[in-house]
């Protein structure tokens, strides 16, 4: 399977769209090519073709949760409904920190902050450093959306201790500190 980065073809005479078409012709189960070509269709305003390619990307991906959230974000950015992709992903069984993180992200997008927090706590319990930082940041944001600044502040204190070099985290700490005083 070829892995794509979203960069243009090494041959400047080949358009990006043609490049993905070639990849799909070579490997018709390449989820990344379908996803990236779907984004081209989306940018061109061809929603039907974009959704068709997104559906194929989901069919062939090994990372359903991640792909579902990425597609949802793209559709939301294009002012389109993303619920189908989010709800479909939430029907899948979560089995890893990544699955729980993306499940939490989906709930966050859907403004279901209680379920987002629950899923993000599960991601953190899985003790996978790859998702720990982002899970904690998103959990803090979910508490903020609920206007539960005390829990958000408690978590941001832990966050800045663990990640002192994160300037955004430091600003968030200052903001939350002002909310609980």
């Amino acid at each position: 399977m070829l892995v794509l980065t979203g960069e243009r073809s090494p041959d400047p005479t080949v358009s990006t769209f043609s490049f993905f078409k070639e990849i799909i012709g070579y490997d018709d189960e390449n989820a990344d090519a379908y996803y990236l070509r779907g984004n081209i269709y989306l940018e061109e305003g061809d929603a039907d073709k974009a959704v068709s390619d997104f559906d194929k990307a989901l069919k062939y991906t090994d990372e359903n949760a991640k792909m579902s959230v990425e597609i949802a974000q793209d559709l939301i950015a294009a002012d389109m409904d993303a619920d189908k992709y989010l709800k479909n992903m939430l029907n899948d069984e979560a089995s890893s920190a990544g699955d729980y993180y993306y499940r939490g992200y989906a709930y966050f997008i859907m403004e279901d902050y209680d379920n987002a927090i629950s899923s993000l706590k599960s991601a953190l319990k899985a003790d996978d450093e790859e998702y720990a930082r982002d899970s904690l940041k998103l959990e803090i944001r979910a508490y903020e959306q609920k206007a539960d600044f005390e829990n958000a502040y408690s978590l941001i204190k832990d966050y800045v201790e663990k990640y002192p070099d994160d300037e955004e985290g430091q600003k968030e700490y200052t903001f939350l500190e002002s909310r609980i005083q």
Side-chain angles (χ1 to χ4, degrees), residues 153-171:
Y153 179 69
S154 174
L155 290 172
I156 195 68
K157 285 192 319 188
D158 294 339
Y159 181 87
V160 295
E161 260 183 45
K162 192 168 187 174
Y163 307 106
D165 60 330
D166 186 333
E167 290 179 28
E168 186 180 306
Q170 295 293 340
K171 289 177 185 176

Side-chain angles (χ1 to χ4, degrees), residues 1 28-31 34 55-63:
M1 176 177 179
D28 66 350
E29 294 184 5
N30 190 307
Y34 283 113
D55 289 345
K56 289 175 186 167
L58 280 173
K59 179 180 179 181
Y60 298 121
T61 188
D62 294 333
E63 297 178 309

Side-chain angles (χ1 to χ4, degrees), residues 11-24:
D11 180 355
T13 62
V14 178
S15 74
T16 304
F17 180 82
S18 296
F19 176 65
F20 294 127
K21 187 175 178 182
E22 284 180 35
I23 295 296
I24 291 167

Side-chain angles (χ1 to χ4, degrees), residues 5 59 63 67-68 129 140 155:
T5 63
K59 179 180 179 181
E63 297 178 309
M67 182 71 74
S68 294
E129 191 55 38
I140 293 164
L155 290 172

